[in-house]
Amino acid sequence: GINITVEHGEVFALIGPTGAGKTTLLRILGLLDRPAQGRVLFDGVDVTSSEKLRLSARRRMAAVLQKPVVFNASVYENIACGLKWRGFDGMAVRKEVDAILEVVGLSGYGRRRARTLSGGEVQRVAIARALVVKPELLLLDEPTANLDPVTAANIEGLIWDIIRRQG
């Protein structure tokens, strides 16, 4: 019986107790998991009706999970992967990654190994990886969970700054 509509440019928050299904719902909305029943509409199209539609819609969104995963690679490679998977050429990838590193406050981190970063820095890499592909829908699953208060406040400020800049 869940019916959610998110309009273009809208910030929508889902709040509830632990175990209520918030992450499950986010994963379904992000087309990472399939709903047991019902459907997900994206721009009025039932994107759960076929694999082709699901993948097409999935490319138009990005998700940052509560416990972000980084590849055993450089920060640059972690952020660039989505652009490379979408067929961007090397020069375009470099330009976009350098720009998003600036936005998330990680300029100069491109060559560092992602798995050596602090929790807040890993979260910034995850946000950069999500944003660099310019998603139409950005899903965030408790992006400040498990971070110290100062880092959490910095991540929250970063997210609000990005919302203001990119709508």
Side-chain angles (χ1 to χ4, degrees):
I2 298 171
N3 186 349
I4 297 172
T5 301
V6 181
E7 299 295 333
H8 178 76
E10 181 178 10
V11 175
F12 182 92
L14 184 61
I15 301 169
T18 300
K22 299 179 302 293
T23 296
T24 299
L25 182 58
L26 181 130
R27 291 182 60 84
I28 289 169
L29 293 174
L31 306 173
L32 298 170
D33 291 337
R34 292 188 187 337
Q37 60 183 9
R39 56 197 178 128
V40 176
L41 304 178
F42 194 82
D43 279 343
V45 176
D46 180 1
V47 294
T48 52
S49 64
S50 81
E51 186 66 13
K52 182 179 178 182
L53 288 172
R54 189 185 77 75
L55 289 174
S56 176
R58 183 70 195 102
R59 288 184 188 105
R60 297 169 56 196
M61 57 181 76
V64 177
L65 305 176
Q66 185 178 36
K67 294 179 184 172
V69 176
V70 290
F71 305 123
N72 189 20
S74 69
V75 167
Y76 176 90
E77 288 299 321
N78 269 270
I79 296 170
C81 65
L83 296 170
K84 290 179 178 181
W85 294 337
R86 286 167 173 81
F88 282 67
D89 68 54
M91 190 64 91
V93 170
R94 169 68 61 194
K95 179 181 172 195
E96 295 295 329
V97 172
D98 286 347
I100 202 69
L101 282 168
E102 179 77 27
V103 169
V104 299
L106 291 177
S107 293
Y109 280 63
R111 290 192 171 139
R112 289 184 60 184
R113 301 303 291 178
R115 291 193 175 164
T116 66
L117 303 176
S118 71
E121 291 166 341
V122 167
Q123 197 71 333
R124 287 173 183 263
V125 170
I127 291 168
R129 184 173 52 209
L131 291 175
V132 77
V133 296
K134 297 181 173 54
E136 293 174 45
L137 177 64
L138 177 62
L139 301 165
L140 303 169
D141 186 5
E142 298 188 47
T144 60
N146 306 315
L147 298 177
D148 65 84
V150 172
T151 303
N154 289 340
I155 296 291
E156 288 171 1
L158 169 66
I159 291 166
W160 282 112
D161 184 50
I162 290 165
I163 290 168
R164 280 191 294 279
R165 273 199 257 176
Q166 298 185 5

